[in-house]
Amino acid sequence: MLMILFKDALIFTFDENKPFKSGNILVKGDVIEHIYFEDKKINGYKEINCSGTVALPGFVDAHTHLIQSFGRGLMENMSLTQWLEHIWQYSLDPESSYYSTLLGAIEAIRTGTTTVCEMITECTAPDKVVQAIKNSYLRGVVSLAVSDFQEGEHTPLVSTDKAAERTKSFIEKYHNSSEGRITTKISPVGLPAVTIELLKISKSLADRYNVGLHLHACEGKIQTERSKERFKKSEIEVLYENGILQENTQLAHVIWVTKEDMLLLSKTKTSVVQCPSSNIKLIDGITPISDMMDIGINVALGCDGAASSSSYDMLIEGRLSSFLQKLDKQNADALSPMQVMKMLTINGAKAANLKNVGIIKPGWKADIVFIDIDQPHIYSPNPNALLANIIFSAKGSDVKMTVINGNIVYKDGEFLLFDAKEIFRRGEELLEKTTNKSSF
Ligand SMILES: [Zn+2]
């Protein structure tokens, strides 16, 4: 089994007093075998010099739609209500679905993401989306979004039975595939576009297959109010009453919630995923994550789809998340760099129900990102500034190397395991095949 020694990096420790410690990380196969803080002679490994970098646990994008990459730039300057009508009309043929997802995957890996929780919203070719994630070497928690209730004029609809059938065969096909690198969740897309019956079926399928749930919730103010009119209670209460809230459930956005709603999330150990770029751009609002964290809710971060957020760079989401809380709470102390780092890593892994992912620790999965810190916007003569400089100043383009499941997927500007440039060569050809392109 291949052993690699990542030598002389500043390793992130999650220790408030000493967040970085200089050392060497030995990776054997897909697992971190050992961390050496002193020089030790060991044999039979390949050595990689990592001086001038920090080693962080790979970022977990806990809510995304990589498949939307080809939609980036085509649905601009719209509110969520306007945007939803456009995104539901944006459909790609199977080959374009593959390359659109791959394009998103390339950006994610290039900017330090090692896990994506991909909710597949365009259902014409879900197999191609999973195939692209698999071929990109990302760790994927994939789910098929289904809707059986007419939310807007263009909501893609299937019957409740069909939605259940599609979900079932998707899980049977992909759960724990690609040597465990791909797992699945169940995604009734979100309450405005699903029936109670589908919620109940989703819960029973989740129990039957022992997989989690991944939904949108309380995203737009108008949509959340409409749900309240329809059910005569809040979205969170409806999800709670139908057994959807549980430890293995992640809810994206969760902006328009009351104190009582938040207590239900806390009580059921449901995870929340904030998507700052998307929420700002579509003028959704601000997830009250400081209040949520105060009552013990696990909060992670997601990039959402590039057709709304314009980016798959998790460091942007981390920085915006902190800045939003400081402004919203009128408290400059809100959401520290350490809290943001947890949201980017271990909290995301927890939301995605991934065991042994999210910390650089012996026995844990070798998902590691190395960031070049010898740069004017990160460097400080005082080591105490390093964590703040990474969270508030570093960019995804500062990532020097991305290791996923023990594989060096990206290093020094190159993708080592697949031909990333192919996607750009095929661009125009694929545009010809993009359906509905005339509407944009
Ligand atoms: Zn979404």
Side-chain angles (χ1 to χ4, degrees):
M1 198 178 283
L2 183 64
M3 286 209 289
I4 309 172
L5 187 71
F6 297 94
K7 214 170 167 350
D8 294 329
L10 284 169
I11 303 165
F12 183 68
T13 63
F14 288 102
D15 179 347
E16 294 274 356
N17 298 317
K18 197 170 170 40
F20 295 97
K21 229 171 144 183
S22 179
N24 312 314
I25 307 166
L26 182 66
V27 168
K28 188 176 177 186
D30 59 357
V31 167
I32 296 166
E33 173 86 358
H34 201 83
I35 299 171
Y36 299 95
F37 292 109
E38 70 290 330
D39 250 345
K40 204 172 169 216
K41 256 213 142 4
I42 37 173
N43 297 319
Y45 57 81
K46 178 183 169 189
E47 189 177 298
I48 294 178
N49 177 14
C50 299
S51 59
T53 70
V54 293
L56 309 173
F59 304 141
V60 178
D61 185 344
H63 176 76
T64 193
H65 314 281
L66 295 182
I67 189 181
Q68 287 178 9
S69 298
F70 282 0
R72 181 186 339 228
L74 299 179
M75 286 161 251
E76 299 300 326
N77 309 313
M78 294 179 190
S79 69
L80 175 68
T81 309
Q82 298 167 308
W83 182 86
L84 281 168
E85 287 307 301
H86 283 76
I87 192 68
W88 290 135
Q89 295 177 75
Y90 189 72
S91 121
L92 301 171
D93 69 37
E95 200 188 2
S96 300
S97 298
Y98 178 81
Y99 283 104
S100 183
T101 308
L102 194 59
L103 180 64
I106 290 168
E107 183 188 353
I109 295 165
R110 171 71 187 81
T111 54
T113 291
T114 52
T115 296
V116 289
C117 297
E118 170 79 10
M119 190 199 276
I120 305 171
T121 39
E122 284 81 359
C123 296
T124 50
D127 292 332
K128 293 289 179 188
V129 176
V130 182
Q131 201 186 336
I133 292 172
K134 187 178 157 232
N135 292 353
S136 75
Y137 287 83
L138 274 169
R139 191 178 300 286
V141 183
V142 294
S143 61
L144 185 65
V146 284
S147 39
D148 67 338
F149 183 81
Q150 191 85 51
E151 179 192 4
E153 205 188 328
H154 301 289
T155 315
L157 279 183
V158 291
S159 69
T160 310
D161 286 348
K162 190 97 196 142
E165 196 43 52
R166 279 189 185 172
T167 301
K168 238 174 75 181
S169 56
F170 184 83
I171 290 168
E172 283 174 0
K173 198 163 179 187
Y174 292 115
H175 194 56
N176 274 329
S177 60
S178 299
E179 294 85 46
R181 187 161 53 82
I182 305 287
T183 54
T184 60
K185 282 207 173 192
I186 292 177
S187 285
V189 70
L191 210 45
V194 304
T195 62
I196 295 287
E197 200 191 344
L198 184 57
L199 285 186
K200 286 191 197 303
I201 291 172
S202 300
K203 164 67 178 166
S204 71
L205 287 175
D207 290 346
R208 182 165 144 202
Y209 288 99
N210 195 22
V211 298
L213 293 137
H214 180 184
L215 290 82
H216 294 104
C218 311
E219 181 176 2
K221 194 176 183 198
I222 296 170
Q223 288 73 15
T224 309
E225 281 169 358
R226 270 192 215 139
S227 286
K228 193 156 191 180
E229 276 169 36
R230 183 170 148 219
F231 298 106
K232 310 288 174 237
K233 53 188 74 161
S234 78
E235 278 193 24
I236 299 297
E237 282 173 298
V238 176
L239 297 177
Y240 175 70
E241 284 174 4
N242 289 285
I244 297 294
L245 304 187
Q246 56 177 36
E247 194 164 2
N248 196 358
T249 293
Q250 64 206 95
L251 299 182
H253 309 303
V254 199
I255 295 166
W256 301 100
V257 283
T258 62
K259 230 181 202 138
E260 289 70 34
D261 290 333
M262 287 193 266
L263 286 170
L264 287 177
L265 295 171
S266 167
K267 185 173 133 183
T268 53
K269 299 193 169 66
T270 303
S271 289
V272 166
V273 185
Q274 186 192 28
C275 304
S277 293
S278 183
N279 297 156
I280 293 168
K281 200 152 161 257
L282 298 177
I283 56 165
D284 294 336
I286 304 171
T287 308
I289 60 173
S290 295
D291 298 341
M292 290 176 172
M293 287 176 171
D294 284 349
I295 56 168
I297 297 172
N298 180 53
V299 183
L301 285 167
C303 290
D304 213 352
S308 63
S309 67
S310 303
S311 129
Y312 293 115
D313 180 343
M314 285 290 283
L315 281 169
I316 293 179
E317 301 310 310
R319 171 183 156 124
L320 284 178
S321 179
S322 178
F323 288 2
L324 277 177
Q325 283 306 294
K326 291 175 192 307
L327 185 65
D328 191 42
K329 303 301 279 183
Q330 285 294 291
N331 174 10
D333 201 26
L335 212 61
S336 69
M338 180 60 88
Q339 281 173 306
V340 173
M341 191 64 92
K342 286 179 183 167
M343 290 167 75
L344 288 167
T345 56
I346 186 67
N347 292 9
K350 208 174 151 197
N353 195 38
L354 293 170
K355 308 289 176 228
N356 296 340
V357 170
I359 305 180
I360 300 175
K361 192 174 165 181
W364 284 48
K365 290 288 181 188
D367 291 1
I368 311 166
V369 50
F370 294 85
I371 292 185
D372 179 3
I373 53 170
D374 286 342
Q375 303 201 61
H377 58 287
I378 304 177
Y379 174 79
S380 165
N382 189 332
N384 294 336
L386 188 53
L387 179 56
N389 291 358
I390 288 168
I391 293 300
F392 294 143
S393 308
K395 304 169 182 69
S397 52
D398 300 323
V399 168
K400 197 173 161 57
M401 177 163 57
T402 306
V403 178
I404 309 171
N405 215 28
N407 292 308
I408 301 171
V409 183
Y410 171 83
K411 187 172 182 287
D412 296 321
E414 299 288 334
F415 286 83
L416 306 186
L417 302 177
F418 56 90
D419 183 3
K421 291 188 179 118
E422 190 193 355
I423 178 74
F424 302 107
R425 285 197 298 269
R426 313 246 352 228
E428 280 179 34
E429 207 180 304
L430 290 164
L431 180 67
E432 288 302 311
K433 291 172 139 195
T434 303
T435 52
N436 294 334
K437 68 180 195 294
S438 54
S439 19
F440 295 93

